[in-house]
């Protein structure tokens, strides 16, 4: 029910990375846009002031568009071909906005051992019904007091390959809970990499339209 309260979202997003606990690269600055059920846009900027746009990435379901904000050139990428997934496996937004499709394409089981009823956390193992090259199991941790997926673990052949966890969340005026701080950790053999995403100036239901996600109109 939490996600039913969010038709669209706009927020500043700062991304920083550490490798083996040391800063790795420079902090990056973005504006993130979302429109249900599966449109996303990320505008990259050269500084925290967000005055000079350097790149635009748009994802519309299984299609990604890379837009040059200077010459308006558009590159189209078919993500299904790039990832060797089918449409029922590709978009994890289905967990939030197309639950019936997600349920139809995965087998679900409650993970009693990882659930934490004291803190209102339910763990669910989702196994894709059709084999794909990306993952063999997705474990979701749901805070049912907020209706928010607060953590996900991606497994391939019983090996953990990535974690994504919401460390801080915010209750919006309309009652919806949204992430404020997220930690994304890919499991690399070359070291311990941690990506931190910080969201600020978060606004929901601002009236974004399909035009805002049209690569030809950026």
């Amino acid at each position: 029910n939490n996600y039913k309260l969010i038709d669209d979202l706009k927020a500043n997003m700062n991304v920083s990375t550490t490798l083996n606990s040391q800063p790795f690269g420079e902090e990056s600055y973005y504006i993130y846009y979302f429109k249900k059920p599966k449109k996303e846009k990320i505008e990259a900027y050269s500084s925290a002031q967000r005055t000079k746009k350097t790149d635009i990435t748009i994802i519309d379901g299984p299609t990604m568009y890379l837009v040059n904000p200077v010459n308006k050139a558009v590159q189209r990428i078919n993500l299904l071909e790039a990832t060797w997934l089918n449409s029922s496996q590709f978009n994890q937004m289905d967990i939030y906005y197309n639950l019936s499709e997600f349920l139809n394409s995965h087998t679900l089981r409650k993970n009693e051992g990882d659930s934490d009823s004291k803190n209102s956390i339910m763990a669910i193992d989702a196994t894709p019904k059709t084999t794909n090259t990306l993952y063999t199991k997705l474990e979701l941790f749901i805070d049912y007091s907020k209706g928010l997926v607060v953590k996900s673990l991606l497994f391939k052949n019983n090996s953990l390959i990535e974690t994504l966890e919401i460390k801080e969340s915010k209750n919006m005026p309309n009652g919806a809970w949204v992430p404020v701080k997220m930690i994304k950790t890919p499991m690399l053999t070359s070291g311990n990499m941690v990506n931190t995403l910080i969201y600020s100036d978060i606004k929901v239901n601002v009236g974004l339209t399909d035009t805002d996600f049209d690569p030809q109109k950026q």
Side-chain angles (χ1 to χ4, degrees):
N1 288 333
N2 181 66
Y3 299 98
K4 291 181 180 179
L5 299 174
I6 304 173
D7 293 325
D8 60 58
L9 181 147
K10 178 183 178 183
N12 290 343
M13 181 174 73
N14 290 15
V15 180
S16 58
T17 303
T18 61
L19 181 62
N20 297 327
S21 301
Q22 298 299 316
F24 184 77
E26 297 181 350
E27 186 169 11
S28 301
Y29 308 99
Y30 306 92
I31 298 180
Y32 173 81
Y33 303 80
F34 166 77
K35 180 178 182 291
K36 76 173 187 182
K38 51 190 176 182
K39 292 183 184 291
E40 296 178 271
K41 179 171 70 172
I42 301 174
E43 297 174 342
Y45 290 84
S46 58
S47 69
Q49 288 69 43
R50 292 171 171 81
T51 54
K52 183 180 179 181
K53 199 179 299 181
T54 58
D55 290 290
I56 303 170
T57 302
I58 297 172
I59 298 176
D60 187 356
T63 306
M64 174 187 285
Y65 301 92
L66 305 178
V67 183
N68 185 315
V70 178
N71 61 20
K72 307 301 181 183
V74 177
Q75 179 184 357
R76 183 180 183 275
I77 300 172
N78 186 319
L79 293 172
L80 296 182
E81 292 179 358
T83 58
W84 294 87
L85 302 181
N86 62 49
S87 58
S88 66
Q89 297 165 336
F90 174 73
N91 200 319
Q92 290 189 27
M93 282 295 179
D94 284 348
I95 300 168
Y96 319 116
Y97 290 97
N98 191 7
L99 186 58
S100 60
E101 180 69 25
F102 184 78
L103 294 175
N104 286 337
S105 58
H106 293 78
T107 300
L108 270 62
R109 180 185 67 85
K110 183 179 179 182
N111 189 321
E112 298 285 358
D114 287 348
S115 296
D116 182 0
S117 58
K118 181 178 179 181
N119 291 302
S120 303
I121 301 296
M122 179 186 295
I124 301 289
D125 290 339
T127 305
K129 293 180 179 179
T130 304
T131 301
N132 69 73
T133 60
L134 181 61
Y135 66 100
T136 53
K137 187 181 77 170
L138 177 66
E139 185 174 4
L140 304 170
F141 293 77
I142 302 166
D143 184 336
Y144 49 83
S145 67
K146 299 177 179 178
L148 190 66
V149 177
V150 293
K151 186 177 181 180
S152 64
L153 307 179
L154 203 63
F155 292 87
K156 181 68 181 291
N157 299 327
N158 297 319
S159 296
L160 179 63
I161 59 175
E162 183 179 271
T163 69
L164 181 64
E165 184 172 6
I166 296 176
K167 290 294 190 179
E168 298 176 22
S169 59
K170 179 180 181 180
N171 194 212
M172 303 301 290
N174 72 335
W177 286 92
V178 297
V180 172
K181 180 179 180 180
M182 298 177 68
I183 302 294
K184 184 176 183 179
T185 308
M187 301 300 154
L188 306 177
T189 56
S190 56
N192 180 27
M193 177 175 284
V194 177
N195 301 301
T196 302
L197 293 74
I198 303 292
Y199 297 89
S200 61
D201 194 22
I202 304 170
K203 298 181 177 67
V204 298
N205 303 337
V206 296
L208 298 178
T209 68
D210 288 346
T211 302
D212 295 308
F213 300 84
D214 186 337
Q216 304 299 331
K217 297 181 179 179
Q218 301 304 307

